[in-house]
Amino acid sequence: MVRYFTRRRVRRHYNWKGKQIGFDRKLKTSEYGSLEISVEGLPRTTVISTGQHILIEGEDDDNPFVAKVLKLFGDESGKQKKASVQWYVRVSEIPTGKISLLGREPHPQEVFYYESRSCVDEVDAESIISTVQVKLRGRDLYCRMRLQFSFHLTELSFGTFIDFLYIQILLILTESSLLSTTPNTPRTPRHITPSIPSRSLPARQPANVLEEARTRLHVSAVPDSLPCREQEFQDVYSFVESKIMDGTGGCMYISGVPGTGKTATVHEVMRCLQHASDMDEIPPFHFIEINGMKMTDPHQAYVQILQKMTGQKATADHAAALLEKRFSSPAPRKETTVLLVDELDLLWTRKQNVMYNLFDWPTRRHARLVVLTIANTMDLPERIMINRVASRLGLTRMSFQPYSFKQLQQIIMSRLNKVKAFEEDALQLVSRKVAALSGDARRCLDICRRATEICEHSAPNPSSTGLVGMSHVMEALNEMFSSAYVTAIKCASVQEQLFLRAVIAEFRRLGLEESTFQQVFVQHQALCRVEGLQPITVSEGLAVCQRLGACRLLLLEPSRLGVQQRVRLNVSQDDILYALKAD
């Protein structure tokens, strides 16, 4: 069992020292010559004056901020002491794209001047830890940290005491490595960390036009442009950009059926915003992404968010507490965080506390958090969210409509980019077939890739392959939609087919991919009345459900649960719709 310890804040005492320089009635602040800091357990006091370099409490205790004192003053009441500072930025805080502009490898302890519109230049004196020595070597600035803590063992837990010892040793070693390297220092082996060897030969280039088309039509291939989503791109870009510029938080709910470009559009927006940040057009920000599909439990979202933001590992409860503290407390140099939550519907819990926190954190005054959520159901908040969660979401929503056949055809043509591999009628056939079912662009790309393989293998001479025609596309469509599952659906009874339709209707009503037999049975009875059929009894409905489960068209819980057993599809909804429409 892993236990996490929290450090006790060091109690510091402050008093002003030296003569009072003057009093400004307009600002109503008093300026002082120096500031004296005393830490419990240390015999000496630290005197901070104007022009010195200091360490300021950061987002974590291991990496304090570095700054230079420009002025010391008090507030209107004269009780709270403040300091006006010039910030420095460490090498680890600089984007990789800007480090390359130096033209050299920076030193790990090197610091640079930091100026930003989103930076607060006034800090409380209570956040000052100690002084730090910054030496100018040529045109390079190095920061040497010397932190010495002394605590009573009775005040700290054993885990905390070991943690502080580790920090002292690490900093002393870092400082000694800057001063000199003794001959007795052991050298690090060259290949201590295994790595993937570089290619001895370059990757094989496509041998013909069909291979080139197949590479470009792959779902993982990044296209040069994102057609048919220009308006959605502009809306998401404007929303996130305004929040970053203003230093505020917000939440946007993005919905649409699978394969309509929701995630791809958001990724393109973040890529453009990151480029604008590298060019100093907007303040810097931090982008992280989580996916509900990749989590075994919704509460793991806290763990992933904390690890991607700070690199710290913790349990779900501890991570939630640390994130709560981070988004609730102010920090002088806090950058805006953009969080993308994909597959939001899979983070649903009975109390809905995960969704509530994701929507509530952006409303905090000092959070500077922008949350973009993606789900497959447009009215998910009204269907499954309780009022306190839906109210936090706000009114900023966007719906991605399914692609039409013309849009699907345009997407394929933009991917091919003047590579003549398909007949025009063949592309139109694929686009119309997919648009009639779901408008899923990913399914359309998969069919086109399979058609290129069929065309290449059917050619007598692989080097002289022709264009992909109607026959190749029809064969790919038959393979894609004529699997054993589709055949089983076509051969099922009327009640069994109607039960599958009821499962899809219930899933779309809930916005989830799972339901109970009782909820599906209600939909089944409604469909029987619509179709003019005699409704079946509960026992007959259970028998129908068991037969579909035996064919592996449905995934069922143990039958002893009766009407409360949970039901999931073991086949895609597109295959069911295709099989039922074919009849």
Side-chain angles (χ1 to χ4, degrees), residues 23-30 32 73-82:
F23 184 78
D24 191 342
R25 294 183 180 273
K26 183 177 181 181
L27 296 177
K28 296 183 179 180
T29 59
S30 300
Y32 299 85
F73 60 94
D75 60 357
E76 297 180 0
S77 62
K79 296 180 180 180
Q80 187 175 6
K81 284 70 180 177
K82 293 181 176 291

Side-chain angles (χ1 to χ4, degrees), residues 516-554:
T516 62
F517 169 81
Q518 186 177 15
Q519 295 171 317
V520 175
F521 186 71
V522 173
Q523 292 284 349
H524 183 270
Q525 288 185 317
L527 289 176
C528 286
R529 289 190 292 267
V530 172
E531 297 292 337
L533 301 175
Q534 181 67 27
I536 60 178
T537 62
V538 176
S539 60
E540 291 174 340
L542 285 171
V544 169
C545 185
Q546 292 299 323
R547 289 197 298 271
L548 293 174
C551 297
R552 305 302 295 172
L553 294 174
L554 295 178

Side-chain angles (χ1 to χ4, degrees), residues 24 98 120 161 200 355 386 393 410 420 443 513 528:
D24 191 342
K98 292 189 177 181
V120 180
F161 182 69
S200 57
M355 287 185 176
I386 57 181
L393 179 59
Q410 182 180 351
K420 186 64 175 177
R443 178 61 65 93
E513 296 296 328
C528 286

Side-chain angles (χ1 to χ4, degrees), residues 353-401:
N353 53 347
V354 177
M355 287 185 176
Y356 178 82
N357 288 330
L358 290 177
F359 299 151
D360 182 59
W361 284 335
T363 63
R364 307 292 176 85
R365 178 182 177 185
H366 304 289
R368 303 192 71 165
L369 175 66
V370 182
V371 177
L372 303 175
T373 59
I374 297 179
N376 295 332
T377 308
M378 182 175 65
D379 52 352
L380 181 71
E382 288 76 18
R383 288 184 178 179
I384 70 171
M385 293 183 186
I386 57 181
N387 291 334
R388 74 184 187 103
V389 179
S391 63
R392 289 294 187 274
L393 179 59
L395 301 176
T396 307
R397 303 187 186 183
M398 178 175 296
S399 177
F400 281 64
Q401 299 300 323

